[in-house]
Amino acid sequence: MNDVLLRSLTPNVLAILIRRGADFAAAEDAVQDALVEAIRVWPDDLPRDPKGWLVTVAWRKFLDAARADAARRRREDIADEEPPPGPAPERDDTLRLYFLCAHPSLTPSSAVALTLRAVGGLTTRQIAQAYLVPEATMAQRISRAKRTVSGVRFDQPGDVATVLRVLYLVFNEGYSGDVDMAAEAIRLTRQLAAAIDHPEVAGLLALMLLHHARRAARTASDGSLVPLAEQDRRRWDTESIAEGIGILQAALARDRLGEYQAQAAIAALHADAPAAEETDWVQIVEWYDELVRLTDSPVVRLNRAVAVGEADGPRAGLAALASLDDSLPRHTAVAAYLHERDGNLTTAARLYAEAAQQAPNLAERAHLTRQAARLNTSHRP
């Protein structure tokens, strides 16, 4: 079974059902039922037109559910409008579906969570990690969002800021998590940038390109993580870096600074350094100060502490870290790094081991475990 094919077709099928009159919750249920049927049937009989097959089966599932639900008997009037078999239109509705999920009846946080789950394909656990909340809390939030939009006609698309937030989180999960969706997030952000003249859309696209340009160097041949300072910069994609910096410069020239432009500026400073020791950390701290002003995010403050440690020394970084909640994701790993820089290897080794237990994925856990083992070996009597 080609899971990638199913994942790529799902957003378009969902959007088609919504355009034909299905409310969001019913359309999502019908598409999920069709996917289950595809998993059962396709290994032995892959259709010539997989998308058309999914549309037809999902529509039938929706109609069956509508007829069975007394509260939705009004939908029986469209029972004879089942689309005929045949190739489905090639239009890509994914970006439109992102806007539809960002419906005005939802809060921005609920709209983001719903879109990540229904369109982005992320699990509730992955979304909860992105929001720094318990999985049960996120499950309730998504369920409430589904109930809110159930029965709502999607004729009032949501705002750009919510869609940007969704694309940003999808890219981050694809870039560092278990599901590779980074390229799809870049593709959709390009579409959005072509359709909307907005500096923050450009800023997000620049940020994605600059981070994606370093992707080949982020892992070794054995799959282990390679920290930024140790990456082989010859493996960075110089064309993507040049494109990202050009897009960022044009956006910054409009003097309407937003968080994605500020993040992209930090990424550009890393990309512009010929070697790690030539990184302009002082300017990076200044951009983090701008980000704190724009977002007041604890994660931004955590990253700023690392930059302060590089610009002003590890003790200054530890002082900045001391004001933050130590339950923040990666707080322990940052503390371990700064203590190592300060020469406190025993404390650093202990903290690396603790951070490994808290790591959100296997690759990061393995990296932190190796760091702890390296220090334990280096100062063993």
Side-chain angles (χ1 to χ4, degrees):
M1 172 54 54
N2 192 330
D3 292 337
V4 176
L5 175 62
L6 284 175
R7 183 183 294 278
S8 67
L9 292 175
T10 298
N12 287 336
V13 176
L14 185 57
I16 289 170
L17 264 64
I18 289 173
R19 286 207 311 273
R20 288 175 176 166
D23 64 68
F24 186 90
E28 186 186 24
D29 289 343
V31 172
Q32 292 301 317
D33 288 344
L35 293 176
V36 171
E37 186 73 5
I39 291 171
R40 185 182 69 81
V41 173
W42 286 10
D44 298 322
D45 184 20
L46 182 66
R48 286 182 297 177
D49 178 20
K51 180 178 174 182
W53 188 97
L54 280 174
V55 170
T56 299
V57 172
W59 187 250
R60 286 174 179 163
K61 297 287 186 183
F62 163 70
L63 292 178
D64 289 343
R67 283 191 289 265
D69 189 346
R72 298 174 184 172
R73 291 191 180 279
R74 58 187 173 81
R75 296 193 183 274
E76 291 182 354
D77 294 337
I78 61 170
D80 295 330
E81 297 180 12
E82 178 180 326
E90 289 303 317
R91 174 180 173 183
D92 184 350
D93 288 295
T94 308
L95 187 58
R96 179 175 181 271
L97 193 55
Y98 271 61
F99 273 95
L100 293 178
C101 288
H103 196 272
S105 62
L106 296 173
T107 64
S109 61
S110 294
V112 171
L114 179 62
T115 313
L116 289 172
R117 183 72 184 91
V119 188
L122 275 63
T123 66
T124 302
R125 176 176 172 271
Q126 290 168 327
I127 301 169
Q129 288 176 344
Y131 269 89
L132 310 180
V133 300
E135 184 174 351
T137 300
M138 183 53 64
Q140 292 175 352
R141 184 178 299 178
I142 293 172
S143 294
R144 285 197 300 269
K146 287 182 179 180
R147 289 195 299 270
T148 299
V149 300
S150 180
V152 170
R153 290 304 297 258
F154 285 79
D155 53 0
Q156 292 181 276
D159 64 2
V160 174
T162 301
V163 174
L164 287 179
R165 181 64 178 166
V166 175
L167 289 168
Y168 174 73
L169 291 174
V170 169
F171 177 82
N172 280 349
E173 191 61 42
Y175 188 68
S176 61
D178 301 322
V179 181
D180 186 356
M181 301 180 66
E184 174 69 358
I186 292 174
R187 184 182 72 83
L188 293 173
T189 306
R190 283 191 186 279
Q191 286 187 9
L192 188 59
I196 300 176
D197 183 19
H198 193 295
E200 273 292 80
V201 177
L204 180 58
L205 179 57
L207 175 63
M208 289 179 176
L209 290 170
L210 289 165
H211 277 300
H212 206 63
R214 303 200 301 260
R215 188 169 189 179
R218 291 185 75 245
T219 54
S221 57
D222 61 359
S224 60
L225 290 180
V226 180
L228 176 61
E230 301 172 19
Q231 289 176 14
D232 181 354
R233 299 183 179 220
R234 293 171 299 180
R235 299 184 64 195
W236 290 1
D237 183 345
T238 55
E239 290 186 7
S240 291
I241 290 173
E243 181 185 6
I245 290 176
I247 292 171
L248 172 64
Q249 289 174 338
L252 291 175
R254 301 178 65 175
D255 199 23
R256 291 169 55 193
L257 184 64
E259 63 175 299
Y260 300 118
Q261 295 169 73
Q263 288 190 55
I266 293 169
L269 286 168
H270 283 298
D272 197 45
E277 56 271 18
E278 298 180 55
T279 304
D280 189 345
W281 286 106
V282 172
Q283 193 172 167
I284 287 175
V285 171
E286 292 174 355
W287 277 111
Y288 271 120
D289 289 339
E290 289 288 347
L291 260 180
V292 169
R293 180 182 62 81
L294 290 165
T295 68
D296 196 28
S297 162
V299 175
V300 170
R301 292 181 182 275
L302 182 69
N303 292 332
R304 179 184 178 278
V306 176
V308 169
E310 299 289 350
D312 301 326
R315 294 192 180 181
L318 287 167
L321 188 66
S323 64
L324 301 177
D325 186 345
D326 61 9
S327 67
L328 275 172
R330 298 186 173 88
H331 184 285
T332 307
V334 170
Y337 173 74
L338 291 172
H339 276 292
E340 181 184 358
R341 288 281 316 282
D342 196 36
N344 191 344
L345 303 188
T346 301
T347 298
R350 175 179 58 80
L351 290 172
Y352 275 130
E354 291 179 10
Q357 297 301 313
Q358 305 164 4
N361 56 65
L362 291 176
E364 191 168 335
R365 181 179 305 167
H367 170 72
L368 293 167
T369 300
R370 284 193 297 271
Q371 297 294 87
R374 173 179 58 81
L375 294 186
N376 282 325
T377 302
S378 67
H379 71 278
R380 182 178 297 162

